[in-house]
Amino acid sequence: MTLSVLSRDWLLDENPETRLQAKLGQSYRMTRALMRNPLAVLGLVIILALLVVAAFAPWLAPYSPIEGSLSNRLLPPSAEHWMGTDELGRDILSRVIHGSRITLYIVLLVAVLSAPIGLVLGAVAGYFGGWVDRALMGVTDVFLSMPRLILALAFVAALGPGIGNAVIAITITAWPVYARIARAETLTIRNSDFIAAVRMLGGSHWRIVARHILPLCLSSTIIRVTLDMAGIILTAAGLGFIGLGAQPPAPEWGAMISRGRTFILDQWWVATMPGFAIVVVSLGFCLFGDGLRDVLDPRQRSK
Amino acid sequence: MTQKGSGRLLPAWAKTAIGFVLSLALTGLGLLAITFFIGRVVPIDPVLAVVGDRAPPAVYEAAKERMGLNDPLILQFVHYVAGILRGDFGLSVSTQRPVMEDIARYFPATLEMATLGILIGVVIGVPLGALAAARQGSIIDQVIRVIGLAGYAIPAFWLGLVGLVLFYAQLKWVAGPGRIDIFLDGMVPPVTGLLLVDSLIAGDFESFTNAFSHIILPATILGFFSLAYIARMTRSFMLDQLGQEFIITARVKGVPARVIIWRHAFRPIRVQLITVIGLSYAALLEGSVMVETVFSWPGIGNYLTTALLNADMNAVLGGTLVIGAVFIAINKISDALYRILDPRAR
């Protein structure tokens, strides 16, 4: 028995005996499909690298991200300082490594805040229909038709600069997409027989939404969140660049580019190096999101 | 267009028109509600800004009453909307001019850059996308894929800086930040506010080439992002068409590939492309905020970011309203155009 649990045949069994076996089998198939896509694997590797770098930043960074020595200011990339040093003599590589924590913090917080808001609003609107639907979707559509970056800028201007406020501002502009997706998914399942069966068994509306509808909206929302991560990273970096996101001396990538702007013509590395980090990490989320979509939602497969 | 369609059964076009106006008005009101809300959230006390922090409480209260800040919120909102509709956006704290006047001065520069950007995006993006679809898996197809990913993953402000280093500092192909060199500034009589057009009207060729060498890099960088989007969408629309049976019929009949691609497959997607181009033009206006900041381009985006850093809320909200309104209008118009031009969407 123990041997058969680990086998491929057990995982791929067409007639699973337990729920656990079915779930494990499904995840196994998905992982296999994902691994067949080299670009998705590359994306996954980048995301894992980001997680590792963020987790072990103090051990990986060769120098302090905050303190530098002025005698080392604006050194070009070399064997000692792989990405050179900035105007205060700080090692840029160390700052980029520590900056991964800020990026990860912003991205995760925005995802954790905006996806549930959108999911619940969308599912409720789709399930109840009628006036609830019209009111909720009216608000959603108004937010959807706004320019996201400008709106985030205006909210940060009102709330004051800082990472926390940047997260709030980006969240305010990010949830409507998830509400739309959740509503569309809900509309396709709300008249299914199994929902009617739960109703007949006496399940309340809230139970149906929470236990039966929301889980089914999850996969398309997860895909969308992963694909949106790149956009969230770019917006957060943009806020930092303008000076409204993370404040100095925090090693936020956008803010670092902004500082390097002053020396861009003579000391190009100060502004350029953090940009590579942004591009690589955004690319990772794009590639992984594309791969995830192809596996989880074949209808939307990109040609 | 006689009266015969009126009454209970409105003609289709009238329904579309009413729906268009309604959704435009609703979204516009939503935008106003958001900027009004932001204006209230700001921790800056507008009364203190007027009376100063040493005013006695009676003066403070009187000023507050006079500014309408004791009214119910809904009434304040109505006054706010009425003011905006009259074109009253308040005074900018940093420039000491009405915000509306500032915006009118800065907007043409943004319009000029965004328009050149979308031209670059369309002229290169559409043929590239069509070719990629026609030769799926070829080099062009791979290039489109990479450009598409780059459009998602590269921050516009960073690409702008890299462009400045490469093409201005190193290669010296283009002029640096700003709209025109200082010694030529103000030489062209303003007609449209678009320097490229004005200098041609004035017949001032030197100003034209100078302005062109300033605008081409930021416009190309903006255009790159719309190119990425337009090419990807063109490719996917074309692939849909090329898989249809009438294309196979045309192939079997021996129609040359070029004719199949451009006449048979491209024609039906033109309407969809209009929507895509409209959307990316609106996105360009938004993206110009970042690019203008990098290139010190005296446009509305630069005005907005400067105001943001100075906590000049009237200017911030005015800029947000104008960019938001143009963004919404372009989106709704391209959506309406799609409905009008595509018989299937009616």
Side-chain angles (χ1 to χ4, degrees):
Chain A
M1 185 67 191
T2 41
L3 248 179
S4 71
V5 166
L6 294 170
S7 77
R8 215 175 139 247
D9 290 337
W10 182 79
L11 284 169
L12 293 179
D13 197 344
E14 289 290 323
N15 303 304
E17 281 164 16
T18 59
R19 187 179 279 215
L20 179 73
Q21 184 184 4
K23 285 221 159 132
L24 283 178
Q26 203 194 4
S27 342
Y28 177 71
R29 278 195 200 99
M30 268 168 43
T31 319
R32 283 281 305 262
L34 206 57
M35 289 304 150
R36 271 197 294 272
N37 181 345
L39 286 177
V41 173
L42 178 65
L44 185 63
V45 168
I46 293 174
I47 295 172
L48 289 177
L50 173 73
L51 290 173
V52 169
V53 168
F56 300 103
W59 294 276
L60 287 172
Y63 301 91
S64 156
I66 309 290
E67 282 161 30
S69 70
L70 285 175
S71 55
N72 284 340
R73 64 194 297 267
L74 295 172
L75 292 179
S78 64
E80 275 143 70
H81 300 281
W82 290 3
M83 292 184 177
T85 61
D86 67 6
E87 79 282 7
L88 296 174
R90 297 173 295 197
D91 179 52
I92 294 178
L93 176 66
S94 304
R95 285 177 66 73
V96 167
I97 288 176
H98 278 271
S100 63
R101 291 187 155 187
I102 301 179
T103 300
L104 201 61
Y105 173 81
I106 294 177
V107 163
L108 288 183
L109 215 52
V110 169
V112 165
L113 288 174
S114 61
I117 297 175
L119 257 177
V120 170
L121 288 182
V124 166
Y127 180 73
F128 290 105
W131 278 107
V132 180
D133 186 26
R134 253 174 264 169
L136 286 178
M137 283 302 118
V139 176
T140 308
D141 281 345
V142 166
F143 271 92
L144 262 185
S145 44
M146 302 288 163
R148 286 174 68 168
L149 177 68
I150 308 286
L151 209 58
L153 282 176
F155 271 107
V156 179
L159 296 167
I163 296 183
N165 289 339
V167 168
I168 296 175
I170 299 174
T171 303
I172 290 174
T173 61
W175 66 268
V177 182
Y178 311 129
R180 269 273 158 219
I181 292 173
R183 177 176 178 270
E185 289 278 323
T186 308
L187 285 183
T188 63
I189 47 182
R190 79 169 208 201
N191 292 327
S192 327
D193 291 340
F194 77 92
I195 297 288
V198 182
R199 286 287 306 143
M200 274 196 289
L201 285 171
S204 71
H205 288 305
W206 294 110
R207 186 188 171 87
I208 292 175
V209 169
R211 301 289 298 272
H212 299 276
I213 290 188
L214 283 181
L216 286 173
C217 303
L218 259 185
S219 73
S220 39
T221 311
I222 289 176
I223 297 167
R224 189 58 208 233
V225 170
T226 317
L227 285 171
D228 278 355
M229 291 283 193
I232 295 171
I233 293 173
L234 293 196
T235 312
L239 289 175
F241 178 73
I242 290 177
L244 295 171
Q247 296 299 302
E252 198 270 325
W253 295 341
M256 287 170 71
I257 296 177
S258 165
R259 302 277 295 198
R261 237 184 106 187
T262 330
F263 325 102
I264 184 74
L265 296 184
D266 297 313
Q267 285 90 19
W268 54 270
W269 56 89
V270 184
T272 322
M273 292 301 182
F276 285 117
I278 298 179
V279 173
V280 169
V281 170
S282 310
L283 206 60
F285 281 110
C286 276
L287 294 173
F288 185 64
D290 269 340
L292 212 55
R293 179 184 53 198
D294 290 352
V295 173
L296 288 177
D297 192 3
R299 283 168 300 170
Q300 301 266 313
R301 183 180 279 272
S302 59
K303 285 172 202 123
Chain B
M1 307 291 157
T2 50
Q3 292 287 316
K4 74 174 180 196
S6 63
R8 223 148 44 93
L9 283 170
L10 284 167
W13 65 267
K15 264 189 193 160
T16 315
I18 291 172
F20 173 72
V21 171
L22 265 183
S23 88
L24 197 61
L26 258 179
T27 320
L29 211 60
L31 177 64
L32 283 166
I34 291 173
T35 52
F36 175 75
F37 170 74
I38 293 175
R40 300 295 124 166
V41 171
V42 189
I44 304 167
D45 187 341
V47 185
L48 274 187
V50 172
V51 298
D53 52 1
R54 263 180 282 169
V59 176
Y60 180 89
E61 277 308 317
K64 195 172 180 189
E65 181 67 39
R66 197 155 24 95
M67 290 167 79
L69 290 172
N70 287 334
D71 296 342
L73 266 187
I74 190 81
L75 198 64
Q76 288 188 35
F77 181 60
V78 171
H79 284 308
Y80 173 74
V81 173
I84 297 293
L85 290 180
R86 282 197 309 269
D88 176 14
F89 288 54
L91 271 183
S92 158
V93 181
S94 39
T95 63
Q96 292 298 330
R97 276 190 304 262
V99 169
M100 196 62 201
E101 219 172 86
D102 278 345
I103 287 174
R105 274 160 55 122
Y106 288 114
F107 198 71
T110 300
L111 191 68
E112 190 173 26
M113 189 163 82
T115 308
L116 194 60
I118 194 77
L119 279 178
I120 293 171
V122 172
V123 168
I124 303 178
V126 171
L128 219 54
L131 279 180
R135 303 200 196 122
Q136 221 183 332
S138 69
I139 304 262
I140 297 179
D141 200 17
Q142 303 297 334
V143 169
I144 291 290
R145 187 173 265 254
V146 172
I147 290 180
L149 278 171
Y152 270 131
I154 298 181
F157 55 91
W158 183 74
L159 196 62
L161 286 173
V162 172
L164 268 180
V165 171
L166 267 180
F167 298 110
Y168 168 61
Q170 299 293 323
L171 297 168
K172 298 195 168 34
W173 287 358
V174 297
R179 240 181 136 184
I180 195 161
D181 283 349
I182 293 172
F183 62 93
L184 288 171
D185 197 14
M187 300 290 276
V188 180
V191 183
T192 56
L194 311 174
L195 267 182
L196 290 179
V197 180
D198 286 352
S199 57
L200 280 185
I201 292 175
D204 183 348
F205 202 67
E206 196 192 351
S207 292
F208 178 81
T209 40
N210 190 276
F212 186 78
S213 77
H214 274 278
I215 198 174
I216 189 67
L217 182 59
T220 308
I221 281 166
L222 264 185
F224 172 78
F225 290 95
S226 57
L227 187 161
Y229 177 62
I230 291 173
R232 219 177 38 212
M233 297 309 283
T234 310
R235 176 178 176 278
S236 113
F237 294 154
M238 283 293 275
L239 280 181
D240 280 346
Q241 291 297 325
L242 289 172
Q244 304 271 336
E245 284 177 353
F246 71 90
I247 297 289
I248 299 169
T249 313
R251 282 220 174 97
V252 172
K253 278 164 68 186
V255 179
R258 198 163 41 87
V259 179
I260 290 182
I261 292 168
W262 293 112
R263 194 172 299 162
H264 294 238
F266 186 69
R267 265 197 195 176
I269 71 165
R270 283 178 308 180
V271 178
Q272 285 167 296
L273 275 182
I274 289 177
T275 318
V276 166
I277 292 168
L279 284 177
S280 60
Y281 191 49
L284 268 193
L285 281 177
E286 196 184 8
S288 67
V289 172
M290 288 297 175
V291 175
E292 281 180 12
T293 311
V294 170
F295 286 89
S296 312
W297 191 258
I300 193 101
N302 208 350
Y303 178 68
L304 187 67
T305 47
T306 316
L308 280 168
L309 292 177
N310 294 333
D312 185 352
M313 277 322 277
N314 280 341
V316 170
L317 295 182
T320 309
L321 265 180
V322 169
I323 299 180
V326 175
F327 185 91
I328 291 168
I330 294 177
N331 275 340
K332 297 276 178 196
I333 289 172
S334 51
D335 190 46
L337 268 181
Y338 178 67
R339 277 164 207 273
I340 293 167
L341 294 177
D342 190 337
R344 285 168 304 179
R346 266 178 211 156

